[in-house]
Amino acid sequence: MNVMTCGDPDEAVAGIEDGSTVLVGGFGTAGMPADLIEALVRQGATGLTVVSNNAGNGDTGLAALLDKGRVRRMVCSFPRQSDSWVFDRLYREGRVELELVPQGTLAERLRAAGAGIGAFYSPTGAGTLLAEGKETREIAGRTHVLEYPIKGDVALISAHRADRMGNLVYRRTARNFGPVMATAATTVVAQVREIVDIGALDPEAVVTPGIYIDRVVQVVPAA
Amino acid sequence: MTNPTSSPPPLVEHLDRGPLTEHEMAARVARDIPHGSYVNLGIGRPTLVADHLPDGAGVVLHTENGMLNMGPAAQDGQIDPDLINAGKIPVTELPGAAYFHHADSFAMMRGGHLDICVLGAFQVSAAGDLANWHTGAPDAVPAVGGAMDLAIGAKRVFVMMTLFTKQGAPKLVPECTYPLTGVGCVDRVYTDVATFQIGPGGATVLETFGIPYDDLAHRLGVALSRQDWT
């Protein structure tokens, strides 16, 4: 048990190095670790590879990180949204690279990284642009595409509640990428709405066991 | 995945009416969803299908961001930022709902546990290839989301679309010209003008709305077949 309870989001993101691969949880704004991303903007690491389902909304959070030129490469499934103007502009200007990954393949590549799987074959994307240049194999009469894990140096995720062991519970669809990203990075940072004492979470209800978590920080939601 | 088991029913031409409206199309799709199915409705027009499932249909809606037994869109007092659908619209939960993470949600899909998904499309080929994620235009920002996983994962893939573009070009085509989402994955195509079954023999017209079969066949550049009453 070696979970650091941080006093604020700035402490929680301290030490993230230039050129890191950063996994960022959330689907749209649900489960988005907004305070950790804002702290990362202040922290200043640059040349980042960011792995996240979307590529920022509006002008805050991931969009602010992109806008400041800190992101060299985005790995995501759905960058284009009605309010993704920051990413759209940078992409069209050739100032950010994009690796587009089908959403389920993104989740499974993260899961594979966390589970120590070397690579896996998936039928998703076979025969499409997104499989070009990838190894394929016929398995049970179906074309499968070889996919490699995505491992992060850091994961920034958001959960509902943590205990001081780092055990996490989520709330509703804000769970999304949190549990798989928590397994897939060297250093995992969780922002939560409440940190509770050891023993206060029902062990049967824990979704992410504390073994995966390195730092937690409590962020009181804006009223 | 095509469903080779059933031979298509005889053709019905509805000539006493015009093309289906968007809601009539949604109702037409809803009619073909068996009781108790696990169903994923794609973003956009397919979400209308939920409004036409009869009470007691026992259909469980899956949303790929991590929920089964999703309820209708949230009204003002019910909005919870932690509870959204794949289109990022606030929704509600029904009794018996379950939440799960993304890898589980897509394992459900890829693993063939969903009975039906309903997707929109730019184009469908007579062989059941689907194009619905990217126009391929040079300045387009590509975004795929869960479309490819759904296309190859659900047991049956229903497409819901208008049959012609605003410029009048057919969207049921011999070969897709837009980048593919999935190969040979479409089972049914529900349009405003006709309903098609896609199988090993190509596209079979099940019914038409406001147009005779022969006129439809003439307007489409695709080999069609029909089942006649015997």
Side-chain angles (χ1 to χ4, degrees):
Chain A
M1 172 183 144
N2 193 16
V3 176
M4 183 168 125
T5 302
C6 300
D8 58 40
D10 293 291
E11 187 186 352
V13 302
I16 295 180
E17 293 179 6
D18 291 352
S20 297
T21 295
V22 183
L23 315 180
V24 177
F27 179 86
T29 53
M32 175 65 66
D35 299 271
L36 294 178
I37 300 166
E38 284 164 24
L40 180 57
V41 173
R42 291 191 292 273
Q43 190 262 0
T46 192
L48 302 173
T49 293
V50 171
V51 182
S52 195
N53 190 61
N54 304 110
N57 303 81
D59 293 302
T60 58
L62 263 186
L65 193 68
L66 282 155
D67 196 36
K68 291 210 175 333
R70 306 281 175 71
V71 182
R72 186 180 65 77
R73 187 161 170 267
M74 273 305 309
V75 180
C76 67
S77 88
F78 210 82
R80 185 190 66 230
Q81 299 166 93
S82 58
D83 57 355
S84 61
W85 49 77
V86 173
F87 178 83
D88 296 1
R89 173 173 51 78
L90 294 173
Y91 178 76
R92 291 197 172 106
E93 291 171 3
R95 289 165 59 198
V96 63
E97 286 175 40
L98 171 65
E99 180 182 349
L100 192 69
V101 182
Q103 203 169 326
T105 302
L106 184 65
E108 193 63 15
R109 288 175 65 189
L110 291 161
R111 200 196 69 79
I117 301 294
F120 60 92
Y121 282 101
S122 168
T124 301
T128 75
L129 278 180
L130 299 190
E132 277 183 3
K134 294 185 175 180
E135 271 183 63
T136 58
R137 178 182 285 205
E138 298 296 312
I139 301 171
R142 228 173 160 197
T143 306
H144 287 66
V145 182
L146 184 65
E147 299 285 358
Y148 287 93
I150 299 174
K151 171 96 180 158
D153 297 301
V154 181
L156 306 180
I157 63 171
S158 169
H160 186 52
R161 217 174 256 139
D163 68 13
R164 292 182 190 282
M165 303 273 297
N167 295 309
L168 303 181
V169 294
Y170 300 84
R171 193 168 167 275
R172 298 183 154 172
T173 59
R175 180 182 304 199
N176 59 64
F177 281 93
V180 278
M181 286 185 172
T183 68
T186 308
T187 301
V188 180
V189 186
Q191 75 167 65
V192 298
R193 293 170 179 142
E194 188 185 8
I195 298 176
V196 299
D197 288 333
I198 291 171
L201 292 182
D202 175 1
E204 298 279 8
V206 169
V207 174
T208 294
I211 188 170
Y212 296 117
I213 303 302
D214 299 287
R215 303 176 190 177
V216 294
V217 59
Q218 181 172 310
V219 176
V220 178
Chain B
M1 263 173 280
T2 49
N3 177 17
T5 50
S6 56
S7 68
L11 173 71
V12 180
E13 295 169 292
H14 301 278
L15 301 179
D16 55 342
R17 57 156 304 145
L20 300 185
T21 65
E22 211 167 55
H23 270 282
E24 286 170 333
M25 282 165 65
R28 180 64 195 83
V29 174
R31 217 172 76 206
D32 282 357
I33 296 178
H35 182 91
S37 298
Y38 287 92
V39 176
N40 183 296
L41 301 176
I43 295 170
R45 195 179 275 138
T47 57
L48 295 176
V49 173
D51 298 340
H52 296 277
L53 293 166
D55 291 340
V59 169
V60 177
L61 294 181
H62 170 263
T63 182
E64 62 259 35
N65 51 317
M67 180 186 193
L68 279 167
N69 224 15
M70 175 176 66
Q75 303 305 312
D76 290 345
Q78 301 173 309
I79 289 173
D80 176 348
D82 284 347
L83 181 48
I84 59 174
N85 67 10
K88 305 183 176 90
I89 309 291
V91 291
T92 52
E93 66 180 29
L94 297 177
Y99 297 106
F100 32 84
H101 64 64
H102 246 77
D104 276 354
S105 185
F106 283 83
M108 236 169 246
M109 218 179 264
R110 202 189 303 103
H113 305 280
L114 289 179
D115 295 301
I116 292 170
C117 75
V118 184
L119 297 171
F122 298 144
Q123 289 175 329
V124 177
S125 82
D129 296 349
L130 171 67
N132 78 347
W133 70 282
H134 186 28
T135 60
D139 68 333
V141 179
V144 66
M148 289 187 181
D149 307 274
L150 277 168
I152 60 92
K155 286 180 195 156
R156 302 180 75 198
V157 174
F158 291 179
V159 164
M160 179 176 165
M161 66 180 190
T162 56
L163 188 53
F164 298 96
T165 65
K166 290 193 179 99
Q167 291 74 35
K171 290 155 79 173
L172 182 69
V173 293
E175 295 263 356
C176 295
T177 54
Y178 287 122
L180 294 186
T181 307
V183 176
C185 57
V186 176
D187 298 281
R188 286 275 176 108
V189 183
Y190 295 88
T191 77
D192 48 346
V193 178
T195 307
F196 303 88
Q197 179 163 312
I198 309 288
T204 304
V205 183
L206 302 181
E207 52 190 348
T208 68
F209 303 97
I211 184 170
Y213 174 90
D214 291 339
D215 292 4
L216 178 73
H218 183 72
R219 280 194 71 186
L220 289 175
V222 173
L224 298 176
S225 59
R226 59 186 284 175
Q227 191 77 28
D228 287 307
W229 297 92
T230 50

